[in-house]
Amino acid sequence: MFRRIMTVTAALAVCAATAFAGDDDVSRRWAVIAGMNLSCPTTASVERSPRDAGSTAAFASPQCNVLVEYYLPQQHFSVVGGYNAETVQWFDSEVDATMQNIVLGARYYPLSKRFALQPYAALMTYTNVAQRHEQHSMSAWNGGGGYGRDCTLRLPRVSIAPTVGLDCYIFSSLALEFQYGFPLAIDGKAHVTTTCNGRPDIYRMRSNMHRHNIQIGLKATFPFRFTSADGNSLFSLIEMALGIYDPADEKKQETKKERRRMKLGRVLDSY
């Protein structure tokens, strides 16, 4: 399994390098990004019962996002906007909420566009257009007894996220995008109180709704183009999927030092 993952990674790297070899005039005006995102909220304070099982905060189920990016005439900068749904959860999804966000931000790409790997830094804003206030109560039974929870959520209207990411171009106009951000919630609060077996002891969790956010997507840039090098890369990927081609089997190109050593060896063998 590990060898197959390494083979796929190597093949994608070969495709990216091939697609951009000698390509100094990469024209990108705008792009469409579609993918999914995962969020995990932070907790400001926790008073937790030893008998209360479950993670206080964890990554929730993935949600979709669709973004449009426009490259500014000034090299290295772009603006991006669109929509994403974002779910936050606590206590193994017993307490959760989903935000419907309008996304707007700016990106900075430090490298020239001719490179297949494009890291970037960004500042993003998320505006939640769904309801902000939620209240829930629940009770459950586990091996140690029963417990109940009451929660009050105030979802943030606006969050500001410093972000870093990487576009990995597998073809001239098609890339895999990986992004990590830390949305800082403005006026967001979550309070959860837990009681066990009807006892007067109350265990509290409080969150300010700051969160870790991971996004993975597919990015298509326009004007869209598909070059002969892209065709060769696609053919290599198909061969690899069928088990015909393995990048590890490629013969390594000899260096100048190795060629000189071989020539010297042949001269010495002739005596």
Side-chain angles (χ1 to χ4, degrees):
M1 180 65 180
F2 179 75
R3 186 175 185 274
R4 177 167 289 275
I5 293 174
M6 294 300 296
T7 299
V8 171
T9 304
L12 291 175
V14 169
C15 291
T18 303
F20 281 73
D23 192 355
D24 296 327
D25 185 20
V26 179
S27 176
R28 301 187 190 118
R29 296 179 184 174
W30 60 285
V32 175
I33 308 161
M36 65 178 186
N37 72 90
L38 298 162
S39 281
C40 177
T42 61
T43 53
S45 64
V46 181
E47 299 173 11
R48 185 178 173 195
S49 166
R51 306 180 68 176
D52 178 26
S55 300
T56 302
F59 281 100
S61 57
Q63 298 291 339
C64 67
N65 56 270
V66 179
L67 304 173
V68 175
E69 183 175 13
Y70 176 73
Y71 293 92
L72 299 176
Q74 293 85 356
Q75 193 176 14
H76 305 299
F77 288 94
S78 72
V79 293
V80 62
Y83 162 85
N84 83 348
E86 187 180 359
T87 296
V88 290
Q89 73 173 34
W90 298 267
F91 301 104
D92 294 335
S93 77
E94 288 181 354
V95 178
D96 61 14
T98 299
M99 293 174 282
Q100 311 290 334
N101 294 320
I102 301 299
V103 183
L104 185 64
R107 291 180 175 180
Y108 171 71
Y109 294 89
L111 300 182
S112 169
K113 292 181 180 179
R114 66 186 179 88
F115 291 103
L117 296 179
Q118 289 286 312
Y120 63 84
L123 186 64
M124 308 296 294
T125 60
Y126 298 88
T127 303
N128 176 31
V129 296
Q131 64 179 356
R132 294 192 61 200
H133 300 278
E134 295 187 16
Q135 287 186 329
H136 303 284
S137 296
M138 58 83 61
S139 60
W141 183 268
N142 58 23
Y147 63 92
R149 284 201 177 99
D150 296 314
C151 66
T152 301
L153 305 179
R154 186 171 68 204
L155 303 178
R157 178 65 70 194
V158 177
S159 300
I160 300 175
T163 303
V164 293
L166 176 69
D167 291 344
C168 179
Y169 280 88
I170 51 178
F171 301 113
S172 297
S173 295
L174 201 63
L176 296 175
E177 184 168 287
F178 307 92
Q179 178 177 289
Y180 168 79
F182 189 70
L184 301 168
I186 298 177
D187 195 28
K189 300 291 182 184
H191 295 275
V192 182
T193 59
T194 302
T195 57
C196 295
N197 299 320
R199 293 180 302 178
D201 300 325
I202 298 177
Y203 304 95
R204 296 179 175 86
M205 185 281 297
R206 182 173 62 87
S207 174
N208 46 24
M209 301 290 285
H210 302 334
R211 53 208 185 270
H212 304 279
N213 182 262
I214 297 174
Q215 296 187 22
I216 302 173
L218 188 64
K219 178 176 183 177
T221 62
F222 299 88
F224 191 88
R225 56 188 194 135
F226 193 82
T227 65
S228 57
D230 293 331
N232 293 333
S233 298
L234 179 61
F235 187 68
S236 297
L237 284 175
I238 294 173
E239 284 186 321
M240 183 196 66
L242 297 175
I244 302 172
Y245 167 72
D246 189 339
D249 296 333
E250 287 281 349
K251 185 178 179 181
K252 293 184 179 180
Q253 188 174 1
E254 293 179 347
T255 63
K256 291 183 178 179
K257 186 176 181 179
E258 289 172 338
R259 285 197 295 268
R260 292 196 201 100
R261 188 176 297 169
M262 290 182 65
K263 289 180 181 178
L264 179 59
R266 284 196 294 267
V267 171
L268 294 176
D269 291 340
S270 64
Y271 287 100

